[in-house]
């Protein structure tokens, strides 16, 4: 099990996502979880996960995206459908 640290790109607030299996968990799993205490994205927007400055595919496992234990990733709100 590993930890991914999320950083809200707007506020700088950090959220730890502990005890996850990077070979099974996807960004979609994380961003749709009610247990993390993530704030609601602005109206009409949804959260997206970034590795560096690149938005990652939300259905690809964290392991396949190259994340490792303790890595930091940013979350950014983006207009849905855009």
């Amino acid at each position: 099990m590993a930890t991914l640290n999320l950083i809200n790109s707007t506020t700088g607030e950090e959220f730890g996502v502990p005890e996850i299996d990077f070979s099974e968990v996807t960004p979609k799993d994380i961003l749709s979880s009610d247990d993390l205490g993530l704030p609601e994205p602005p109206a009409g927007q949804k959260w997206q996960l970034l590795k560096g400055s690149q938005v990652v595919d939300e259905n690809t496992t964290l392991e396949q995206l190259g994340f490792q234990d303790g890595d930091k990733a940013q979350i950014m709100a983006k207009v849905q459908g855009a």
Side-chain angles (χ1 to χ4, degrees):
M1 297 298 197
T3 299
L4 182 67
N5 299 298
L6 302 180
I7 301 169
N8 183 324
S9 63
T10 304
T11 66
E13 188 174 5
E14 290 195 33
F15 303 89
V17 186
E19 302 301 315
I20 55 175
D21 184 341
F22 280 27
S23 68
E24 293 181 7
V25 175
T26 66
K28 185 176 186 175
D29 296 332
I30 292 171
L31 299 177
S32 63
S33 172
D34 293 331
D35 298 335
L36 298 178
L38 295 177
E40 288 293 319
Q45 298 185 20
K46 69 175 190 170
W47 290 122
Q48 292 193 315
L49 190 78
L50 287 80
K51 182 173 171 75
S53 61
Q54 298 293 317
V55 175
V56 299
D57 179 75
E58 64 179 22
N59 296 308
T60 302
T61 66
L62 297 174
E63 182 177 78
Q64 290 172 319
L65 292 169
F67 284 105
Q68 297 180 359
D69 186 23
D71 278 356
K72 292 186 178 187
Q74 290 194 7
I75 56 170
M76 175 181 72
K78 184 171 180 188
V79 175
Q80 291 186 20

